[in-house]
Amino acid sequence: MSAIHLVETEAAGEPAKVDAKAIVEALLFASPEPLSEREIQAQLGALGDALTLLHSLRADYVGRGIRLEGREGRWAFRTAPELAPHLTRVLRPKRRLSKAAMETLSIIAYRQPVTRAEIEAIRGVAISAGTLDLLVDTGWVTPKGRRDAPGRPVTWVTTPGFLDHFDLQSLSDLPRLEELEGAGLFNPPAEPSA
Amino acid sequence: MSAIHLVETEAAGEPAKVDAKAIVEALLFASPEPLSEREIQAQLGALGDALTLLHSLRADYVGRGIRLEGREGRWAFRTAPELAPHLTRVLRPKRRLSKAAMETLSIIAYRQPVTRAEIEAIRGVAISAGTLDLLVDTGWVTPKGRRDAPGRPVTWVTTPGFLDHFDLQSLSDLPRLEELEGAGLFNPPAEPSA
Amino acid sequence: MVALGQSEAAKSDVSAFVVALDEFEGPLDLLLELARAQKLDLKKISLVALADQYLDYLKAARAKQLEIAAEYLVMAAWLAYLKSQLLLPRDANADPDAATMAEALAARLRALEAIRHAALWLEERAALGTARFARGAEEPLPKETVPVFVAELGALLRAYGVTAKRQEVARIRLPRHRFMTVDVALARLSQLLTGSDWRELRSFLPPELASAVERRAAVATSLVASLELARSGEIELLQQQAFGPILVRRRP
């Protein structure tokens, strides 16, 4: 792939060409955490426009083994999800969360900001001691502020890491609960007639 | 889960396309350690020849922000070394000057141009090697000319940056010694009472 | 879910359920599983039928002598009450809230069911670490530290003040005295000593001498001056006893 964004840093005799897109590529590649456009732009300085370069770079990686994902102004390289079956033998997938933890996470995702008592009311059971701790450890959930109610309980919200983990562009990517609850939940979709 | 099984092992109607090079690319990206050809080949199975794909992949990345490095049969992506200057993160911690450096700076400010020996005579101690270098690093002090005296010692003065940092219009804005006396500045800062 | 809705029999015969209370996270979960097993539409759910199933289930559990947590029994009592209220003729003294309470329970079951589906939906996302992977090896980028120095004018002035003070201490200050020189004493004695009467030498000392040191020095210089004048024959000196007063007069 040829260098597109060439910028001359010095106006000296020899053309000191710096490929600004290569810088963005290297920055993102080296980092396991998403980088914000601001961080990237700060590193680039006057060499180029971060957002333009990011879009160009994302296009370069379409159809390859890794792809450039940008969500809410934060960018990261991730392996293409369709390759997962071919990677997992070497990369050892992470353990899945328990049903209780996944449900708690879902409630926080949908009802945020939400208090512990509200989560318990929806699930009909007390949250076991470790569940919220576990979710905080994953980096997907964080306490944020207090509800202006008796006892001023802490409320819980999801993090940008939650979006990254579940490959969501934003919280609005979550399907509406009414859709999930909707037609025929208790009547599983008819089996395709054999 | 959608779109996982791209590899159809059975000869179904349409040809199941798997980009073996994409698998190698994703594997190398996501692996915490460099991968050996054998490990990569084991993951690929019959989908392709690891070494051929690695060489092809390495060629793809020539001239880009990252490159594929293979040494002693183990492969890993690394950022291109020539980009290092552009990837360097510049940290700018705020630092305070030591007591010795502040005193030296103040003597230079009040007595400029002043030689090292004169500063030492006033402070009653030798200036440690780094103190003047440090003051030059701050941009507040610079050597200027030599004293017409035995040994022709260098003299030190403050810079415009000094005036700027301390928000002084000119050196004459520095209070006179008698004025300092009135302001109680002659006494070392009081120790916090125990 | 385990052991529920598996067999055709389970659809109609609650007692055929394998009692597995541990599988459920509380009464709400059990109710939801019962509804699911019966493939009930929660929008048109018959709370009466669901209550019956719940109570039957607990009965079966009790028959098997399983320990039943209090919360299940509370729900059982509540459901039994709700059922009785719902079954009472409309015009009787039925609890007017029974229908509302039944609807509230159905709504809770629907909400929990929706969250269940949301959790499943999330799990099927291409999650990081299971279907998508991040950079495996973090490559620490080089860092350069360029300190920015800060100092306040006050600190600078204080530093200078402290330096100046230290210098002041180092300078030795001798007290300045105004000592009378021999020349001054000579002139003074020659001028003031007029008559030929004996007068005490001390009386010729200047009166303004404040300190003892200055006075003693004046005594000494005056004595030297008087000796000098006596040697040149201008005056006479007399001391009648050791340490006695020294008398002086112009030579007659």
Side-chain angles (χ1 to χ4, degrees):
Chain A
M1 213 158 293
S2 65
I4 294 175
H5 294 273
L6 293 179
V7 177
E8 288 191 38
T9 38
E10 255 97 316
E14 54 201 285
K17 300 254 177 182
V18 175
D19 186 345
K21 190 156 79 172
I23 295 174
V24 177
E25 189 178 33
L27 275 176
L28 287 166
F29 211 88
S31 168
E33 303 297 327
L35 295 177
S36 71
E37 278 152 36
R38 249 187 40 181
E39 288 172 293
I40 295 167
Q41 190 64 65
Q43 194 70 44
L44 277 179
L47 291 175
D49 175 58
L51 197 55
T52 310
L53 294 166
L54 284 163
H55 284 294
S56 168
L57 200 56
R58 179 163 63 184
D60 291 347
Y61 276 89
V62 166
R64 307 192 52 168
I66 45 185
R67 60 183 201 183
L68 183 53
E69 298 181 354
R71 49 176 58 88
E72 298 187 333
R74 299 175 66 78
W75 298 74
F77 277 117
R78 298 290 182 243
T79 63
E82 61 271 21
L83 295 176
H86 300 283
L87 305 179
T88 46
R89 208 183 309 161
V90 168
L91 296 176
R92 188 172 300 165
K94 284 183 182 163
R95 266 183 48 211
R96 288 179 180 277
L97 290 184
S98 70
K99 178 165 155 283
M102 278 306 288
E103 286 183 16
T104 303
L105 177 62
S106 303
I107 293 168
I108 295 171
Y110 275 90
R111 304 288 178 97
Q112 58 189 297
V114 65
T115 68
R116 184 193 186 103
E118 288 161 352
I119 297 168
E120 292 180 338
I122 292 169
R123 294 198 63 237
V125 281
I127 300 179
S128 78
T131 301
L132 276 172
D133 290 351
L134 179 76
L135 289 174
V136 170
D137 281 348
T138 61
W140 304 334
V141 154
T142 185
K144 189 182 180 188
R146 293 175 178 279
R147 175 67 46 82
D148 197 7
R152 296 183 48 71
V154 168
T155 63
W156 299 84
V157 296
T158 56
T159 64
F162 167 79
L163 297 178
D164 185 25
H165 186 92
F166 291 102
D167 199 14
L168 300 166
Q169 289 301 310
S170 73
L171 287 174
S172 59
D173 269 9
L174 291 169
R176 295 194 2 255
L177 271 184
E178 302 77 65
E179 291 168 15
L180 290 173
E181 186 213 353
L185 287 184
F186 284 86
N187 304 304
E191 300 291 322
S193 52
Chain B
M1 211 165 293
S2 64
I4 285 180
H5 293 280
L6 283 184
V7 186
E8 288 188 42
T9 35
E10 262 90 323
E14 50 205 283
K17 297 239 174 182
V18 174
D19 186 347
K21 192 157 78 172
I23 295 174
V24 176
E25 190 177 32
L27 269 179
L28 287 167
F29 170 79
S31 169
E33 305 287 335
L35 290 175
S36 71
E37 282 148 36
R38 254 187 35 182
E39 289 169 295
I40 295 167
Q41 190 63 65
Q43 186 71 49
L44 280 177
L47 292 174
D49 175 59
L51 197 55
T52 310
L53 293 166
L54 283 164
H55 284 295
S56 167
L57 201 55
R58 180 163 62 184
D60 289 347
Y61 276 91
V62 166
R64 307 194 50 169
I66 42 186
R67 58 185 208 184
L68 182 54
E69 296 183 351
R71 45 174 63 93
E72 298 180 342
R74 296 177 71 78
W75 297 72
F77 281 117
R78 293 283 179 254
T79 56
E82 63 270 21
L83 292 178
H86 299 282
L87 302 179
T88 302
R89 289 195 169 181
V90 179
L91 307 174
R92 299 183 184 279
K94 285 190 176 177
R95 259 176 65 185
R96 301 200 153 270
L97 292 182
S98 67
K99 183 166 149 286
M102 278 301 278
E103 287 185 15
T104 304
L105 176 62
S106 69
I107 292 167
I108 295 172
Y110 274 89
R111 307 282 180 102
Q112 59 189 298
V114 64
T115 68
R116 183 195 188 100
E118 287 162 353
I119 297 167
E120 291 180 341
I122 292 167
R123 291 198 61 232
V125 283
I127 300 178
S128 76
T131 301
L132 277 171
D133 290 349
L134 181 78
L135 289 175
V136 169
D137 282 347
T138 62
W140 301 337
V141 155
T142 185
K144 189 183 181 191
R146 292 176 178 278
R147 175 68 44 83
D148 198 8
R152 297 184 46 72
V154 169
T155 62
W156 299 85
V157 296
T158 56
T159 64
F162 168 82
L163 296 178
D164 190 30
H165 184 90
F166 291 100
D167 196 19
L168 300 166
Q169 290 299 310
S170 72
L171 288 173
S172 60
D173 272 8
L174 287 171
R176 283 174 300 119
L177 205 51
E178 302 86 78
E179 292 172 305
L180 290 182
E181 202 152 11
L185 287 163
F186 271 34
N187 302 316
E191 300 290 322
S193 55
Chain C
M1 181 91 352
V2 186
L4 279 178
Q6 299 283 356
S7 64
E8 288 298 307
K11 281 186 186 174
S12 50
D13 188 4
V14 171
S15 61
F17 288 175
V18 173
V19 174
L21 271 178
D22 288 348
E23 300 292 334
F24 300 110
E25 286 194 84
L28 213 55
D29 193 25
L30 173 55
L31 275 172
L32 193 56
E33 285 304 332
L34 289 168
R36 196 198 293 251
Q38 300 303 303
K39 300 196 175 177
L40 295 178
D41 183 346
L42 277 188
K43 293 211 167 119
K44 304 169 210 152
I45 195 167
S46 159
L47 245 294
V48 174
L50 193 57
D52 279 340
Q53 287 168 18
Y54 183 89
L55 297 172
D56 286 351
Y57 186 88
L58 284 201
K59 208 184 290 169
R62 207 176 295 180
K64 295 207 169 201
Q65 297 189 320
L66 295 180
E67 196 154 314
I68 297 169
E71 55 192 309
Y72 286 91
L73 299 176
V74 170
M75 176 66 88
W78 190 77
L79 282 175
Y81 169 78
L82 194 61
K83 184 185 143 192
S84 68
Q85 292 297 308
L86 288 170
L87 289 179
L88 282 175
R90 242 359 195 155
D91 53 355
N93 53 349
D95 187 335
D97 284 341
T100 316
M101 285 155 65
E103 177 43 40
L105 180 61
R108 284 187 72 193
L109 289 175
R110 283 199 298 272
L112 181 58
E113 179 69 2
I115 284 298
R116 291 268 152 91
H117 283 271
L120 285 176
W121 184 87
L122 265 187
E123 261 199 307
E124 286 175 10
R125 297 293 300 165
L128 202 59
T130 56
R132 285 148 60 247
F133 294 88
R135 174 74 160 130
E138 181 178 9
E139 201 176 323
L141 296 178
K143 284 180 185 157
E144 190 188 350
T145 306
V146 180
V148 177
F149 291 93
V150 289
E152 291 79 43
L153 186 59
L156 180 79
L157 301 181
R158 186 185 299 279
Y160 190 63
V162 169
T163 311
K165 179 84 173 174
R166 203 184 296 130
Q167 218 187 346
E168 209 167 77
V169 170
R171 206 186 294 140
I172 296 166
R173 255 203 197 161
L174 293 176
R176 283 201 276 155
H177 295 292
R178 294 171 55 217
F179 293 123
M180 188 191 282
T181 61
V182 174
D183 285 343
V184 170
L186 270 175
R188 188 179 176 84
L189 210 52
S190 323
Q191 195 183 344
L192 294 179
L193 187 59
T194 47
S196 54
D197 300 333
W198 289 103
R199 289 173 61 186
E200 210 177 323
L201 182 61
R202 231 178 239 281
S203 65
F204 294 99
L205 296 183
E208 71 271 15
L209 292 176
S211 77
V213 176
E214 283 171 341
R215 219 175 299 121
R216 272 213 299 278
V219 169
T221 39
S222 298
L223 180 62
V224 170
S226 66
L227 290 172
E228 184 62 30
L229 288 173
R231 192 173 61 87
S232 63
E234 288 184 46
I235 61 168
E236 289 175 337
L237 292 171
L238 173 68
Q239 187 177 30
Q240 290 168 320
Q241 61 187 71
F243 304 111
I246 295 169
L247 303 176
V248 59
R249 71 171 183 185
R250 195 160 279 280
R251 196 171 189 152

